[in-house]
Amino acid sequence: MTTEIEQQPRRRRGRPLAFDRLQAIHVAMKLFWEHGYEGTSFDDLISAMKISPSTFYNSFGNKETLYREATDHYLAISSEWFQAALTGVTDAKTAFTRLIEATAAQFTCDDLPAGCMISLAGTHLSPAHGSVRALMSAHRAASENALVARLKEALAAGEIPPGTDIDALGAYFSALFRGMAVQARDGASRARVLAIGRLGMGAWPEPNATPD
């Protein structure tokens, strides 16, 4: 006669099954993107990532560390299409036109939250999360610097008239892309977001023009 204990299946010993870290970060990225840093709770994260609290702390340490990794993951994805459009052609005007087209497509993807994870992130965080706000501000500055660098190449190549305020022009396009992100976030269609971007290209300074 067997006892009740003997009838129960024995538990396997050894390490628990490892989770897919990259997949977990991808899930966290979408949560942070959709709800923001403060709007995403610890319980939201471990539930969506399907991990235990102990696995979370052992793997990421805390919420801010995970947010930084999720942001880096987003940047790794977005930099592929961003750099491909910005540097994939010779003349800068075509590059910016293609970047606007790529931006409209990416900001309205069906399998990702609308808009951009970086554009407005952290702008209204409480003072306790100043490091997160500074991080997102630095990411936005890096994106704008990439635009300015491409515009400086265009100026040197004679594609933009001498005397053009390149820093202001870069800031303008940065603001344009952030505005497109807000439109997408508010539910604008891809066609609408693209139309806004194309209209913004009207500010492009032609080489035969005289800057103010």
Side-chain angles (χ1 to χ4, degrees), residues 17-165:
L17 294 176
F19 73 105
D20 187 330
R21 182 184 179 87
L22 183 59
Q23 178 60 28
I25 291 173
H26 187 77
V27 170
M29 175 197 75
K30 292 199 290 185
L31 274 179
F32 284 128
W33 187 345
E34 183 68 37
H35 303 293
Y37 181 78
E38 289 184 314
T40 303
S41 70
F42 174 77
D43 288 340
D44 292 334
L45 289 166
I46 61 172
S47 175
M49 297 163 73
K50 301 186 185 331
I51 60 175
S52 66
S54 60
T55 298
F56 179 95
Y57 288 119
N58 289 335
S59 300
F60 304 106
N62 55 47
K63 178 180 169 181
E64 182 174 335
T65 299
L66 174 59
Y67 185 72
R68 288 174 179 270
E69 289 198 42
T71 302
D72 288 342
H73 180 60
Y74 172 83
L75 291 171
I77 295 172
S78 60
S79 64
E80 293 183 6
W81 59 264
F82 183 88
Q83 292 296 334
L86 196 61
T87 63
V89 292
T90 302
D91 69 289
K93 185 176 182 179
T94 300
F96 272 71
T97 299
R98 292 189 178 183
L99 182 56
I100 282 173
E101 293 169 352
T103 297
Q106 293 296 325
F107 283 3
T108 55
C109 281
D110 293 332
D111 58 342
L112 291 171
C116 172
M117 184 181 178
I118 305 296
S119 291
L120 298 176
T123 55
H124 292 92
L125 285 175
S126 63
H129 301 304
S131 59
V132 175
R133 180 171 184 170
L135 173 69
M136 304 314 288
S137 179
H139 285 320
R140 287 189 287 270
S143 176
E144 184 173 317
N145 289 340
L147 299 176
V148 170
R150 187 66 179 89
L151 290 169
K152 287 182 177 179
E153 293 177 3
L155 181 64
E159 300 172 20
I160 293 177
T164 299
D165 189 337

Side-chain angles (χ1 to χ4, degrees), residues 97 100-102 104-105 180 189-199:
T97 299
I100 282 173
E101 293 169 352
M180 292 168 67
S189 67
R190 181 171 300 180
R192 178 64 173 171
V193 175
L194 180 57
I196 293 169
R198 286 175 171 167
L199 185 63

